[in-house]
Amino acid sequence: MFDYPTLKVIWWLLIGVLLIGFAIMDGHDMGVGTLLPFVGKTDDERRVMINTIGPHWDGNQVWFITGGGAIFAAWPLVYATAFSGFYWAMLAVLWALFFRPVGFDYRSKIHNATWRKVWDVGLFIGGAVPPLIFGVAFGNLLQGVPFHFDNFMVVTYTGTFWQLLNPFAILTGVVSSAMITMHGGIYLAHRTEGAVQQRATNAATGAAIVAVVAFIAAGAWLHAGSIEGFVITSAIDPAGLANPMAKTVARTADAWWRNYQKQPLLWALPAIGVIGPLLAVVLSRAGRTLIAFVLSSLGLAGIITTAGASMFPFVLPSSSMPGASLTVWDSVSSHFTLGLMFWAAIIFTPIVIAYTSWCYRVMRGKVTVEHIRANEHSAY
């Protein structure tokens, strides 16, 4: 069995893997939903788009559910505090996600143009809103969230929903939305042909450019020093029990860059976040759509891990009481819980990857208008 500090770091890495898996697998579903009203010009074309993700979207939701469950079990203080501060934002995500199951199930049940357009809007909302809100949440994490603990360790959030929508957070929301849209476009280019494929490729190209420019702009904003990061200034006990109040934290302009100064190899992460999307669209336009999807996935991983590496060991910094900030070391479950969860993850994560890979292999190939018309009652 691993010691307690090692398990804390392992679960920081595993939750990162789950979040990246969610962005890659459910992200391309959401990207397709975002592009639905713009790439699909006719009902048949929109049905083609829906059928590229229809058989898989619910299985891909496993990454989202598992990620939330892992945060609840491994980082209970983070889960409780985040859902207090981001309560309305989380509800907005859930409300948007409601449109997906009913939209996929009901959209093509009735041959009525108005009926189908309404569900198309619902699928667009279900695809576009969650990535935007998740990006805004990351922007607020980098700035710190206004919460504090009282003497009984009861958390109080002192901000408002509208404070979450600050300029920097909106910029990171653009990064998230654009990279997911790009990812969905690359996936569509791989699974379709003809006019739909061409429009998807063009949309992915524009989204990739927006994602990369916004990503670089967010980094430059942080580097300018107008947004202060967080740094632990007291001794910490990596093997200690969860007690976020047992440390002191200072805010400095260069805090989010210190890990990169100490470990220059970390610069590979933002480099992948920039190069991956650009190479993905170049290869997609050249017809190498499968490798383009792999590079798009690497680009998403690079952008997400850049934020994680910058913040380590912080998970949920507090802007109103910096000493109450939640970190990898002091916001986790017990040694026994982390160990038990570790073996569960080792057993079940490969199973999830295996059945997902099998499903995509069985249902691989292009989805065409001709296929939709020939399978009117079985297609979405």
Side-chain angles (χ1 to χ4, degrees), residues 297-354:
S297 301
L298 287 175
L300 266 63
I303 291 173
I304 294 170
T305 53
T306 295
S310 298
M311 293 179 60
F312 184 86
F314 289 90
V315 178
L316 189 62
S318 171
S319 58
S320 56
M321 181 185 275
S325 298
L326 303 179
T327 73
V328 170
W329 311 120
D330 56 25
S331 60
V332 298
S333 294
S334 68
H335 190 180
F336 176 79
T337 300
L338 295 184
L340 184 65
M341 289 172 56
F342 171 78
W343 292 113
I346 291 298
I347 294 170
F348 289 105
T349 302
I351 294 175
V352 172
I353 294 174

Side-chain angles (χ1 to χ4, degrees), residues 26 35 82 101 143 150 155 168 258 285 343 347 357 368 371:
D26 211 21
L35 292 173
Q143 297 174 89
D150 62 18
V155 65
F168 180 77
R258 292 191 178 189
R285 299 185 79 86
W343 292 113
I347 294 170
S357 301
T368 64
H371 169 80

Side-chain angles (χ1 to χ4, degrees), residues 15 21 113 186 236 244 279 281 297:
I15 289 176
I186 295 292
I236 57 172
L279 284 180
V281 296
S297 301

Side-chain angles (χ1 to χ4, degrees), residues 77 149 153 241-248 322-327 330-331:
L77 280 176
F149 293 104
M153 290 301 295
L241 298 177
N243 182 11
M245 304 302 294
K247 66 180 182 302
T248 58
S325 298
L326 303 179
T327 73
D330 56 25
S331 60

